[in-house]
Amino acid sequence: MAFTIAVDGPAASGKGTISKRLAQELGFAHLDTGLIYRAVGKRVLTGQEPLAAAQTLQAEHLEDDSLRTPEVALAASKVAVLSEVRAALTDFQRAFSRRDGGAVLDGRDIGTVICPEAEVKLFVTASAEARAERRFKELAGKGIETTFEEVFADIRARDERDMGRAEAPLKPAPDAVHIDTTDMSIEDAFAAAMARVRARQESA
Ligand code: CDP
């Protein structure tokens, strides 16, 4: 049976961690759609045309540690404004969302464009300062040299591009449950998400 959980939100809001935990707990498949845009962005950085890079994307392109760098994140947010690139990536994400056994997808437009029919929609946010602090620690932990100021500026620039674009802008679906993780532990954020899923499962 299909059951889709759509998790949207800005960079480093905690949506990836919540999504992974939900998928683990429920035995659902998980798709980090940001990784798809990052993989296309990376291919463009190496000289490909954005549309060709999206149309010829293979699963193996997602298995690349360098996709997590700030440069690739920036390149991802630039290709993500192109409607033909988004269109080329839609069918794969939709098919994934309705697979048997349930699916969790996290991104920017899952509840609004990819799966408006999702059984559960979450919109995960946190203050820009808290998100930059988390991302700075994450990058430092990976040995990527940067400063808090740089990470903060990158996140702000990406927020603006993601929210301001004409095509599939980052915004909550009208029926999304908001989770602000600024002052929440991962445990509490996960519990809030799980409570929503359980309520929906019981009402089905
Ligand atoms: O991990 P983080 O939240 O920093 O970023 P991400 O989820 O990996 O996404 C990287 C970029 O891809 C975002 O800044 C968006 O521009 C784009 N993206 C998108 O447009 N639509 C999605 N469903 C997912 C990501």
Side-chain angles (χ1 to χ4, degrees):
M1 218 188 64
F3 188 103
T4 310
I5 305 177
V7 187
D8 291 305
S13 55
K15 63 186 188 304
T17 306
I18 292 174
S19 300
K20 262 185 236 130
R21 292 275 308 263
L22 286 174
Q24 214 171 27
E25 178 79 14
L26 297 159
F28 286 13
H30 172 227
L31 181 64
D32 171 359
T33 65
L35 214 49
I36 300 176
Y37 287 92
R38 283 172 182 262
V40 175
K42 166 96 189 279
R43 300 185 89 203
V44 169
L45 286 179
T46 58
Q48 294 199 34
E49 289 300 319
L51 183 56
Q55 284 171 333
T56 58
L57 195 71
Q58 308 281 320
E60 73 211 41
H61 296 136
L62 305 184
E63 286 157 29
D64 175 350
D65 284 345
S66 75
L67 296 183
R68 295 291 175 196
T69 62
E71 294 72 37
V72 173
L74 186 64
S77 80
K78 288 183 180 167
V79 297
V81 305
L82 304 170
S83 56
E84 67 273 22
V85 165
R86 304 198 72 86
L89 302 171
T90 299
D91 286 352
F92 172 75
Q93 295 176 78
R94 288 214 172 119
F96 190 98
S97 74
R98 298 315 285 169
R99 64 199 276 156
D100 243 8
V104 185
L105 286 85
D106 70 281
R108 302 290 187 288
D109 62 339
I110 308 303
T112 50
V113 175
I114 300 295
C115 309
E117 76 294 353
E119 280 76 7
V120 172
K121 296 180 192 174
L122 306 174
F123 195 76
V124 183
T125 58
S127 72
E129 289 77 8
R131 292 186 288 119
E133 190 63 47
R134 288 175 197 165
R135 185 52 50 92
F136 174 61
K137 283 191 184 144
E138 196 182 313
L139 292 171
K142 285 184 183 154
I144 296 175
E145 229 175 276
T146 181
T147 61
F148 172 80
E149 287 70 28
E150 228 168 19
V151 174
F152 186 66
D154 277 359
I155 280 195
R156 293 294 291 264
R158 208 139 57 82
D159 280 357
E160 254 174 54
R161 189 176 291 121
D162 290 350
M163 292 188 285
R165 69 188 177 212
E167 194 76 21
L170 168 64
K171 64 171 183 204
D175 52 346
V177 170
H178 291 239
I179 302 176
D180 183 336
T181 67
T182 308
D183 298 312
M184 257 190 190
S185 66
I186 288 169
E187 274 318 311
D188 289 348
F190 170 65
M194 227 16 230
R196 177 67 197 133
V197 174
R198 292 295 185 213
R200 181 63 179 78
Q201 283 178 326
E202 276 155 28
S203 73

